C-alpha cells in the first residue's frame, strides 16, 4: 500500500506535522512563574493541577486497557477502575515524564524566552503526588533580551589584497611544512630551526608538568595552553644538544589549574637535539598524494584559494566585532561564570572548525587556540554576545542552515585536513559537534547579509610571517584538551541527549 505524498513526513514538513498533532490535543493547563536571576538566567516554577494529573493517567489507562491482564477478567475486559488500580504504579513514571515534557514544551512556545541550554533539574527529585498539584522548578539559561541594533548600512573596514606569486610561494612553504622531514643539524640552532627538548615547568622547585621529547620550532613567541614565552627565539638561537635554558613565564588568569592562575613559573628546556626542516620535492607522485594535483600550477591554485578563504575569514571576524561594538553602546550583559566556563570548550571547537574551513594549517591554528585558552572568559563572552546578535538577526530574516550548507562546510574542512568528507562528518557526529557547525553556517549567512547592505572602506591586508609557535601542553597541568569521545562515552551521551530531548526545550543558541 503506497502513501500519498502529503502523508510522508520529511525534515521540511516535520515541524508543521508536529504543530498539527499538538493542535489536536488538549493543551496542558499549568501555572508558570518566571523569576529573573540575571540577564541570561531564569528560575522557572511550573505547577500542574491535580485534575491534569488525573487526565494524563486516564489517557494512559485508555491506551493499555485493551491488553490489560486483570485476574478474574478476560484480556481487555476488565473495568477501567480496576485497570487503573492495578497499573497506576507501572505508568506513574511515564505520566510524570509526559507532564514535565508537555509543561516545558509549552514554556518553549513563549515569545519572552529563548533558551540556550537544556533545563537543569533532577527528574528523580520531582514528586508525582497522590493529592494536590505537582510542582517542579529548574534554572534555565536564556538569550538576553535586547533590541537589535540597526545593522543595515554599516560602515565596515574591509581588508583587501591581491595575492602575488610570492605570497602564494610563502603560503605553499607553510603547507609543505606538515609534509616535511626533520633532519639532524650539526651546527647551532637558528631562527626557524627545531629543537627537541625535555620541557619541564617548575614552581618553587616543584615540578608542575613535563614533556620528555617536545619538538618546538624556534620563533619569536612560544605559546602553550596557559601561557606564553616572549623572545623565545633569542633564548634558543645558538643552542646545541646538551644545553639547558631556563626562563620565567607568567600563567594566564584563565589557566585550567586554579591554584596557578597568574603565577610566575620556570620553564626549563633541556636540549636533546637540533634539527632543520627539509621540505618535500614537488614530484608527480607527491602531488598525487597531496591532493591528486596534476601539476604544481594546480597546487598553487589551491594554495591561493586557501589564502582567499583566510582573507574572507578576517573580513568576517572584523564584521562580527563591529556588530558587537554597535550593540554594546546601548546594552551590556553580565554573562554567568558557569555559562562562560561551560561554553569556553564549545568556543574552542567552533574556532577550530572555522579556521580549518578557512584554509589555515595546523601550525597556524595552534597559537590562536592557545591564545583563546589563555583568555577563555573574555573571548567566550565576546563570542557569545556576537552569536546572540547574529542569531537574532537570523530569526528576524528567516535564515536557516540547509543540508547543502553542511555538505559545503564539511567538504572544506575535509580538504584542509586531507580527509574524506564522510570521515569528517562521522567525526563531527561522534563528538556531538554538528550543532556547532550549524551555528557557524547561520552566522556566516547573516554576515553575508550584513555585507550585502554595508559600505566598505578598504584597508590593506598585511601578509605577516608566522611569529608564534604553539605547543599542545598546559604548564600547570590538567586536561585541557578538546576531548575525543570513546564509544562508551558516545553511547552514554546519546542516551542522555535522548532523555533531554524528551524532557527538554528545543535550543538553538547553545
Amino acid at each position: 500500500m503506497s502513501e500519498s505524498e502529503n502523508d510522508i513526513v520529511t525534515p521540511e514538513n516535520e515541524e508543521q506535522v508536529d504543530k498539527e498533532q499538538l493542535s489536536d490535543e488538549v493543551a496542558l493547563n499549568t501555572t508558570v512563574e518566571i523569576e529573573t536571576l540575571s540577564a541570561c538566567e531564569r528560575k522557572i516554577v511550573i505547577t500542574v493541577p491535580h485534575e491534569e494529573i488525573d487526565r494524563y493517567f486516564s489517557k494512559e489507562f485508555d491506551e493499555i486497557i485493551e491488553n490489560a491482564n486483570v485476574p478474574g477478567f478476560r484480556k481487555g475486559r476488565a473495568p477501567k477502575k480496576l485497570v487503573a488500580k492495578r497499573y497506576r504504579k507501572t505508568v506513574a513514571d511515564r505520566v510524570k515524564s509526559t507532564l514535565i515534557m508537555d509543561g516545558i514544551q509549552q514554556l518553549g512556545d513563549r515569545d519572552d524566552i529563548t533558551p540556550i541550554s537544556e533545563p537543569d533539574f533532577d527528574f528523580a527529585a520531582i514528586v508525582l503526588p497522590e493529592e494536590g498539584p505537582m510542582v517542579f522548578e529548574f534554572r534555565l539559561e536564556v538569550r538576553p533580551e535586547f533590541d537589535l541594533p540597526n545593522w543595515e548600512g554599516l560602515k565596515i573596514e574591509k581588508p583587501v589584497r591581491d595575492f602575488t606569486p610570492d605570497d602564494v610561494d610563502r603560503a605553499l612553504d607553510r603547507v609543505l611544512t606538515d609534509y616535511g622531514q626533520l633532519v639532524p643539524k650539526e651546527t647551532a640552532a637558528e631562527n626557524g630551526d627545531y629543537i627537541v627538548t625535555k620541557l619541564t615547568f617548575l614552581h618553587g622547585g616543584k615540578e608542575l608538568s613535563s614533556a620528555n621529547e617536545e619538538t618546538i620550532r624556534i620563533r619569536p613567541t612560544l605559546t602553550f595552553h596557559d601561557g606564553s614565552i616572549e623572545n623565545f627565539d633569542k633564548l634558543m638561537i645558538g643552542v646545541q644538544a646538551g644545553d639547558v635554558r631556563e626562563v620565567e613565564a607568567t600563567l594566564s588568569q584563565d589557566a585550567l589549574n586554579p591554584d596557578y592562575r597568574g603565577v610566575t613559573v620556570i620553564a626549563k628546556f633541556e636540549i636533546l637535539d637540533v634539527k632543520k626542516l627539509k621540505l618535500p620535492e614537488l614530484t608527480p607522485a607527491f602531488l598525487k598524494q597531496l591532493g591528486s594535483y596534476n601539476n604544481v600550477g594546480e597546487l598553487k591554485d589551491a594554495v591561493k584559494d586557501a589564502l582567499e578563504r583566510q582573507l574572507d575569514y578576517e573580513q568576517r571576524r572584523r564584521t562580527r566585532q563591529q556588530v558587537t561594538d554597535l550593540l554594546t553602546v546601548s546594552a551590556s550583559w553580565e554573562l554567568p561564570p558557569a555559562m562562560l566556563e561551560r561554553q569556553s570548550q564549545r568556543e574552542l571547537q567552533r574556532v577550530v572548525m572555522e579556521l580549518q574551513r578557512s584554509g589555515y594549517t595546523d601550525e597556524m591554528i595552534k597559537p590562536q587556540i592557545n591564545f583563546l585558552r589563555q583568555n577563555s572568559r573574555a573571548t567566550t563572552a565576546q563570542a557569545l554576545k556576537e552569536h546572540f546578535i547574529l542569531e537574532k538577526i537570523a530569526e528576524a530574516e528567516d535564515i536557516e542552515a540547509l543540508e547543502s550548507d553542511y555538505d559545503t562546510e564539511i567538504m572544506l574542512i575535509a580538504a584542509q585536513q586531507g580527509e574524506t568528507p564522510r570521515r569528517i562528518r562521522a567525526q563531527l557526529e561522534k563528538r556531538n559537534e554538528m550543532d556547532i557547525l550549524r551555528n557557524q553556517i547561520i552566522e556566516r549567512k547573516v554576515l553575508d547579509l550584513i555585507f550585502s547592505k554595508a559600505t566598505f572602506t578598504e584597508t590593506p591586508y598585511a601578509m605577516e610571517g608566522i611569529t608564534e609557535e604553539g605547543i599542545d601542553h598546559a604548564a600547570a597541568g590538567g586536561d585541557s584538551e578538546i576531548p575525543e569521545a570513546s564509544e562508551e562515552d558516545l553511547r552514554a551521551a546519546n542516551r542522555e541527549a535522548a532523555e533531554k530531548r524528551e524532557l527538554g526545550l528545543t535550543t538553538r543558541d547553545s
Side-chain angles (χ1 to χ4, degrees):
M1 176 175 156
S2 63
E3 296 177 293
S4 71
E5 191 172 316
N6 291 334
D7 292 333
I8 299 174
V9 178
T10 66
E12 289 73 20
N13 67 16
E14 183 177 7
E15 183 178 351
Q16 181 62 32
V17 170
D18 288 343
K19 288 181 179 179
E20 291 173 356
Q21 290 173 344
L22 287 172
S23 65
D24 293 337
E25 300 175 359
V26 178
L28 176 63
N29 177 30
T30 63
T31 301
V32 179
E33 299 175 29
I34 302 176
E35 179 183 350
T36 300
L37 303 178
S38 70
C40 295
E41 294 177 298
R42 302 290 185 269
K43 178 183 176 182
I44 313 292
V45 180
I46 297 180
T47 302
V48 182
H50 197 77
E51 53 266 27
E52 290 292 78
I53 299 175
D54 288 340
R55 179 165 71 88
Y56 273 58
F57 267 113
S58 179
K59 183 179 178 182
E60 287 290 337
F61 298 143
D62 287 341
E63 292 178 0
I64 66 174
I65 195 168
E66 291 184 4
N67 297 309
N69 289 310
V70 178
F73 296 89
R74 284 184 295 167
K75 183 177 180 180
R77 295 293 186 176
K80 188 173 180 179
K81 285 186 177 180
L82 291 180
V83 172
K85 184 176 180 179
R86 181 174 179 83
Y87 287 96
R88 187 176 182 87
K89 289 185 178 179
T90 303
V91 302
D93 272 353
R94 191 155 65 242
V95 168
K96 184 171 77 168
S97 295
T98 308
L99 285 167
I100 294 172
M101 178 183 67
D102 288 354
I104 293 176
Q105 280 184 337
Q106 290 183 182
L107 179 68
D109 294 333
R110 298 171 65 108
D111 294 331
D112 58 342
I113 290 181
T114 304
I116 60 174
S117 68
E118 302 292 344
D120 181 17
F121 62 86
D122 182 357
F123 176 80
I126 299 174
V127 176
L128 186 65
E130 292 293 333
E131 298 180 357
M134 181 179 80
V135 180
F136 63 100
E137 65 179 57
F138 53 89
R139 293 194 175 205
L140 186 66
E141 291 178 347
V142 300
R143 187 174 67 195
E145 298 177 9
F146 60 92
D147 294 327
L148 272 179
N150 183 14
W151 53 269
E152 297 188 32
L154 288 180
K155 295 180 179 180
I156 298 174
E157 288 190 359
K158 181 179 180 181
V160 295
R161 185 182 184 95
D162 291 326
F163 293 106
T164 67
D166 286 343
D167 292 335
V168 174
D169 287 341
R170 285 192 292 269
L172 176 58
D173 284 347
R174 290 197 291 269
V175 171
L176 295 179
T177 295
D178 288 340
Y179 302 89
Q181 179 184 4
L182 293 180
V183 297
K185 185 178 183 182
E186 301 299 329
T187 56
E190 299 176 80
N191 197 20
D193 287 340
Y194 292 77
I195 58 168
V196 181
T197 179
K198 178 180 179 182
L199 172 60
T200 308
F201 286 95
L202 306 138
H203 181 259
K206 174 186 174 183
E207 180 178 312
L208 303 181
S209 66
S210 65
N212 286 331
E213 291 189 10
E214 189 75 52
T215 300
I216 305 172
R217 192 166 195 176
I218 299 175
R219 286 197 167 113
T221 301
L222 174 66
T223 71
F224 38 96
H225 291 188
D226 43 7
S228 59
I229 297 171
E230 303 295 333
N231 299 316
F232 181 70
D233 53 344
K234 295 179 180 178
L235 180 70
M236 290 299 165
I237 289 175
V239 298
Q240 294 180 304
D243 289 345
V244 177
R245 295 288 186 271
E246 293 187 359
V247 66
E248 290 186 344
T250 301
L251 304 188
S252 79
Q253 293 292 344
D254 288 339
L256 187 66
N257 189 333
D259 294 336
Y260 293 95
R261 289 173 180 168
V263 170
T264 299
V265 300
I266 298 295
K268 181 180 179 181
F269 298 86
E270 300 174 60
I271 310 302
L272 306 177
D273 203 356
V274 176
K275 296 187 176 185
K276 62 181 179 180
L277 180 67
K278 181 181 179 181
L279 295 179
E281 295 182 13
L282 298 179
T283 62
F286 177 73
L287 290 173
K288 291 293 183 184
Q289 173 194 340
L290 193 60
S292 298
Y293 300 109
N294 293 313
N295 52 59
V296 175
E298 287 186 4
L299 173 59
K300 288 188 175 183
D301 287 342
V303 171
K304 186 175 182 180
D305 178 68
L307 288 176
E308 296 286 357
R309 282 186 278 130
Q310 292 169 25
L311 175 58
D312 180 70
Y313 169 83
E314 181 63 18
Q315 292 171 344
R316 293 174 187 277
R317 186 189 68 81
R318 295 191 189 184
T319 302
R320 284 176 65 112
Q321 179 64 57
Q322 290 177 70
V323 172
T324 305
D325 288 345
L326 179 64
L327 174 75
T328 54
V329 170
S330 58
S332 62
W333 319 309
E334 287 297 326
L335 301 178
M339 176 193 291
L340 295 179
E341 184 174 348
R342 188 182 61 259
Q343 293 287 346
S344 62
Q345 195 77 340
R346 292 175 58 82
E347 175 60 11
L348 285 179
Q349 294 163 329
R350 184 193 71 79
V351 173
V352 168
M353 261 191 260
E354 182 74 10
L355 291 170
Q356 286 173 340
R357 66 90 60 197
S358 298
Y360 286 85
T361 64
D362 286 346
E363 70 166 350
M364 299 167 74
I365 290 174
K366 277 185 180 179
Q368 295 196 51
I369 296 305
N370 282 341
F371 173 80
L372 292 179
R373 285 189 173 108
Q374 294 163 23
N375 303 274
S376 62
R377 283 175 291 184
T379 54
T380 302
Q382 175 76 2
L384 280 175
K385 289 181 179 181
E386 292 169 354
H387 176 71
F388 292 152
I389 301 164
L390 297 177
E391 186 75 36
K392 192 165 184 177
I393 294 173
E395 290 178 3
E397 300 296 326
D398 294 325
I399 294 174
E400 292 291 348
L402 306 176
E403 187 58 37
S404 58
D405 298 322
Y406 287 96
D407 292 341
T408 298
E409 295 299 309
I410 290 171
M411 181 186 67
L412 289 170
I413 294 173
Q416 184 61 29
Q417 292 189 297
E419 294 280 4
T420 64
R422 177 178 295 181
R423 181 172 176 80
I424 292 299
R425 181 182 285 271
Q427 291 173 351
L428 294 174
E429 291 174 346
K430 180 179 179 180
R431 296 196 297 258
N432 295 318
E433 293 178 0
M434 289 297 286
D435 60 330
I436 300 176
L437 192 59
R438 177 260 172 203
N439 289 347
Q440 183 173 301
I441 292 168
I442 292 295
E443 292 177 6
R444 182 171 297 107
K445 286 188 168 185
V446 173
L447 290 174
D448 283 341
L449 179 62
I450 294 174
F451 275 142
S452 71
K453 297 179 182 295
T455 57
F456 297 97
T457 300
E458 295 186 348
T459 59
Y461 175 54
M463 285 285 293
E464 299 176 355
I466 298 177
T467 61
E468 296 180 332
E469 172 75 355
I471 60 173
D472 202 10
H473 187 89
D479 181 14
S480 56
E481 306 299 321
I482 297 177
E484 287 275 356
S486 67
E487 292 299 326
E488 181 56 37
D489 289 339
L490 182 62
R491 285 193 291 270
N494 286 340
R495 287 195 298 271
E496 180 181 357
E499 292 169 359
K500 286 184 175 181
R501 281 196 300 272
E502 183 179 357
L503 300 176
L505 292 165
T506 300
T507 63
R508 299 185 63 190
D509 293 77
S510 60

